[in-house]
Amino acid sequence: MKNLFDELSYQISRATTRKYSTSFSLGIKALGYDIRPSIYAIYGFVRLADEIVDSFHDYNKKELLLRFKIQTMEALEEKISINPILNAFQQTVHKYGIGTELIDRFLKSMEMDLDPVLYTRELYGEYILGSAEVVGLMCLKVFVEGNSEAYRQLEPFAMKLGSAFQKVNFLRDLKDDYSILGRIYFPNLEMKRFDTDAKIRIEQEIRSEFQEALIGIKALPPSSRFGVYLAYRYYISLFDKIAKTPASKILESRIRIHNSKKISMMMVSYLQYKMAGL
């Protein structure tokens, strides 16, 4: 029975999320039960593409990503895939009306990671749009459960939140992105000139996006509001830790929040969430 395979597909997407991201797993657990599988499916899809361009160094990444793109389009057209993660993703896409333009835009940004790019402000915006903002919009489609008016109103805030998350990741991973992958995402940034002033300029941009995104979080449906708020609080904590770290230290090691801290933060965030009446 295909129902068994569909169930397995979502289980594998959930296992993928838990394996790769403790923070997102905690956030998804705080979502309404009915929408969790679809968010796992979106994360699993995004993670597969990320792994191709970020981790498979001994293989032909370009060929693997092209094959992944073809298999994704086939899954969407045929409404099935023998790849369990793609099978769960295509079901989510069809259930919530996620537009193929969002998927195409995401895969385009993944293609940009295949070769070194000297990021201008324009290319940086293009990459952020595809790698982060459209992922936020895919999730928003699930959160509003087909309400097109709610989607339209919350769209700019979802994009700001996705952008802020991604830019925090860029700061956190600055050392590894450069030394291992040969990437510098921030436009017009030279690593040897990454100093306090450069770091502060980036942080100001991120802080502004977080402030705007919170407006949208407060307007989300109850089924998704706390889960997204929890992810927001995690990234704010990570961002604050990075902001307190000297620029020179950012280039020496990756800033982390330990799992025990994430658990305690979840409980504190819940109290804040209730007290603020979100």
Side-chain angles (χ1 to χ4, degrees):
M1 294 177 62
K2 185 172 178 294
N3 286 346
L4 289 176
F5 181 65
D6 291 341
E7 182 181 345
L8 175 65
S9 297
Y10 282 103
Q11 288 175 351
I12 291 174
S13 296
R14 180 179 63 186
T16 300
T17 307
R18 291 178 174 177
K19 183 68 174 179
Y20 281 98
S21 179
T22 305
S23 54
F24 275 109
S25 293
L26 289 172
I28 293 174
K29 283 182 179 179
L31 296 173
Y33 182 80
D34 291 341
I35 63 175
R36 288 180 208 168
S38 294
I39 301 301
Y40 284 131
I42 292 171
Y43 182 91
F45 169 75
V46 169
R47 174 49 55 187
L48 277 189
D50 271 341
E51 284 304 294
I52 291 172
V53 298
D54 287 353
S55 302
F56 299 164
H57 306 308
D58 296 330
Y59 303 90
N60 188 328
K61 295 181 182 181
K62 189 169 294 187
E63 176 60 34
L64 288 174
L65 186 61
L66 176 60
R67 194 180 310 162
F68 179 73
K69 181 177 181 179
I70 292 170
Q71 290 172 350
T72 297
M73 296 307 145
E74 288 175 345
L76 295 174
E77 182 179 350
E78 298 171 5
K79 297 186 178 180
I80 191 172
S81 175
I82 59 172
N83 178 324
I85 288 181
L86 287 181
N87 187 56
F89 180 67
Q90 66 81 19
Q91 282 201 329
T92 295
V93 168
H94 288 113
K95 180 177 181 179
Y96 292 101
I98 296 173
T100 55
E101 71 279 1
L102 299 181
I103 301 166
D104 289 340
R105 183 62 266 176
F106 169 74
L107 292 171
K108 175 64 176 176
S109 282
M110 294 301 97
E111 290 173 4
M112 292 173 72
D113 274 336
L114 291 172
D115 299 300
V117 175
L118 183 61
Y119 279 94
T120 61
R121 174 59 62 174
E122 182 180 359
L123 285 176
Y124 177 61
E126 182 181 343
Y127 183 84
I128 292 288
L129 172 62
S131 67
E133 293 178 4
V134 300
V135 177
L137 294 178
M138 290 183 203
C139 292
L140 181 60
K141 283 283 188 179
V142 178
F143 296 155
V144 301
E145 299 185 68
N147 186 323
S148 58
E149 178 60 20
Y151 178 84
R152 185 188 64 78
Q153 292 178 354
L154 293 171
E155 183 177 5
F157 303 107
M159 294 174 73
K160 288 293 183 184
L161 187 62
S163 177
F165 282 178
Q166 183 69 295
K167 291 172 185 175
V168 171
N169 288 341
F170 288 164
L171 267 180
R172 179 196 63 190
D173 299 336
L174 195 62
K175 173 183 175 291
D176 288 347
D177 280 344
Y178 178 69
S179 61
I180 297 175
L181 300 174
R183 301 174 189 159
I184 304 175
Y185 289 106
F186 296 112
N188 307 314
L189 175 67
E190 295 182 35
M191 291 296 284
K192 60 184 179 182
R193 295 183 180 176
F194 181 70
D195 56 15
T196 299
D197 289 342
K199 181 170 173 283
I200 288 175
R201 284 195 297 271
I202 295 169
E203 289 167 353
Q204 288 173 338
E205 183 177 308
I206 295 171
R207 188 172 285 109
S208 174
E209 290 185 336
F210 272 131
Q211 290 171 348
E212 289 187 58
L214 184 58
I215 298 171
I217 293 173
K218 292 177 180 179
L220 283 169
S223 60
S224 58
R225 195 179 305 144
F226 177 59
V228 177
Y229 179 73
L230 183 60
Y232 164 85
R233 287 304 315 166
Y234 164 75
Y235 267 92
I236 285 287
S237 296
L238 179 59
F239 175 67
D240 288 342
K241 190 171 183 179
I242 291 172
K244 293 174 183 176
T245 304
S248 59
K249 295 292 184 182
I250 296 291
L251 299 179
E252 293 176 4
S253 60
R254 190 175 191 262
I255 306 301
R256 299 176 182 272
I257 293 179
H258 295 295
N259 287 343
S260 58
K261 175 69 174 176
K262 292 176 185 177
I263 299 296
S264 63
M265 186 182 64
M266 181 177 184
M267 293 184 288
V268 171
S269 295
Y270 182 72
L271 292 175
Q272 293 174 335
Y273 174 84
K274 285 298 186 181
M275 290 175 65
L278 294 177

